DNA sequence: TTGTGTGCAAACCCTTTGCATTTGA
DNA sequence: TCAAATGCAAAGGGTTTGCACACAA
């Protein structure tokens, strides 16, 4: 996801009678700039002019629109990332940092689970837990 | 995990100078009776004589002791299960219910991630998301 | 013009904590 | 006996909401 692609999201908003406000553009731009998995607070530190409430409201909106994903792992606060082709996550148990893993997608498990449990299956995630290099060095 | 096995946990508590209180026994027994992935509130509904604070404090203690696992998925409230051999979870996006999946463990991913990211890896989880049969029927 | 979005402060909800009282060993 | 556990009520911390005002279309 790069800055030019924000423009491709604008029609999506207009389609649903949602307004293209400076705040929405800045939140999306900041998400791109941070290039990772920031929390709502991380985002607000970059754009303190925008209220936390507006950041939360819009992150929630973008999740509903499918533009971004919410990652609820780690000590009760969510992190956000742009929706993208499937990938998994490594999570640092020490600082909560998340990194992406490129790993062939395990598609077969979804069908198996549907057959086995009677759930209608939509998707799946995998998280690997450990300690990141920075935290290892800090002890 | 069955009721007899609670007795095997008692030495573990005594070893650490922790007391075997009626509350602790009841919380563990209730976890067994519920045979699933209850929330702290679910447990308290079964044993309302015990305060929520005590339930939370002890669940936290049992997690630290490695007796149970905390599952932080789903709308900001944790569910708990006895620690057991590796398995994955299916989660209902509608009601939050969790069920177990028996699936061969994906051990090779841990080493791959360690090599690729420099994390020291401890373990991994997988969750499959969908809608449970009950919620499908409810529409 | 007008109804959606923003931002403040307050409310919410799950979880943790301080502290007086109870209790296991 | 006495340190550890309980339970109440209050505090915490992330997130959501009510409402008056601002502003995109």
């Amino acid at each position: 996801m790069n800055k030019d692609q924000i423009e491709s999201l604008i029609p999506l908003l207009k389609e649903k009678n949602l307004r293209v406000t400076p705040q929405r553009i800045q939140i999306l731009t900041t998400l791109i700039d941070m290039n990772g998995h920031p929390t709502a607070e991380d985002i607000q530190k970059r754009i303190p002019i925008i209220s936390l409430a507006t950041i939360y409201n819009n992150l929630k909106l973008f999740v509903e629109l499918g533009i971004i994903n919410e990652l609820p792992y780690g000590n009760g606060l969510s992190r956000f990332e742009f929706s993208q082709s499937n990938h998994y996550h490594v999570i640092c148990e020490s600082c909560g940092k998340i990194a992406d893993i490129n790993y062939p997608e395990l598609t077969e498990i979804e069908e198996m689970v549907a057959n086995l449990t009677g759930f209608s299956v939509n998707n799946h995630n995998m998280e690997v837990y450990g300690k990141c290099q920075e935290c290892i060095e800090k002890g």
Side-chain angles (χ1 to χ4, degrees), chain A residues 1 39 47-48 60 66-67 77 86 91 97 104 111 117 126 135:
Chain A
M1 185 64 77
T39 62
I47 41 176
K60 195 180 168 189
I67 296 173
L77 80 177
N86 284 302
I91 299 158
K97 190 196 303 163
E111 197 187 346
T117 64
M126 174 153 53
C135 286

Side-chain angles (χ1 to χ4, degrees), chain A residues 106-124:
Chain A
L106 305 159
T107 44
E108 67 283 356
I109 198 171
E110 292 196 6
E111 197 187 346
M112 198 214 71
V113 169
N115 292 336
L116 219 61
T117 64
F119 275 59
S120 71
V121 170
N122 296 325
N123 66 308
H124 72 276

Side-chain angles (χ1 to χ4, degrees), chain A residues 4 21 33 52 54 67 70 80 97 115 119 124 126 137:
Chain A
D4 296 336
T21 63
D33 285 349
L52 242 195
T54 295
I67 296 173
E70 183 174 355
F80 299 87
K97 190 196 303 163
N115 292 336
F119 275 59
H124 72 276
M126 174 153 53
E137 281 159 21

Side-chain angles (χ1 to χ4, degrees), chain A residues 10 37 44 53 71 85 110:
Chain A
I10 293 178
H37 310 80
Q44 216 238 354
L71 309 173
S85 58
E110 292 196 6

Side-chain angles (χ1 to χ4, degrees), chain A residues 5-89:
Chain A
Q5 289 174 277
I6 286 188
E7 310 232 338
S8 69
L9 299 174
I10 293 178
L12 200 95
L13 294 173
K14 293 194 170 164
E15 215 169 77
K16 311 229 171 193
N17 289 318
L18 297 168
R19 289 181 182 166
V20 180
T21 63
Q23 287 86 344
R24 287 181 178 162
I25 299 298
Q26 281 188 76
I27 291 168
L28 291 170
T29 308
T30 304
L31 261 164
I32 289 169
D33 285 349
M34 300 191 77
N35 190 36
H37 310 80
T39 62
E41 203 191 341
D42 291 337
I43 294 170
Q44 216 238 354
K45 275 185 195 147
R46 290 277 194 110
I47 41 176
I49 329 100
I50 301 178
S51 75
L52 242 195
T54 295
I55 291 173
Y56 273 111
N57 287 337
N58 281 309
L59 288 172
K60 195 180 168 189
L61 174 73
F62 297 150
V63 169
E64 282 160 11
L65 292 174
I67 296 173
I68 64 176
N69 293 326
E70 183 174 355
L71 309 173
Y73 318 122
N75 326 313
L77 80 177
S78 285
R79 290 167 175 273
F80 299 87
E81 66 174 6
F82 276 101
S83 300
Q84 53 191 293
S85 58
N86 284 302
H87 63 279
Y88 302 119
H89 292 119

Side-chain angles (χ1 to χ4, degrees), chain A residues 121-137:
Chain A
V121 170
N122 296 325
N123 66 308
H124 72 276
N125 292 331
M126 174 153 53
E127 308 83 47
V128 178
Y129 288 90
K131 211 171 185 179
C132 71
Q133 278 181 322
E134 282 174 43
C135 286
I136 294 169
E137 281 159 21

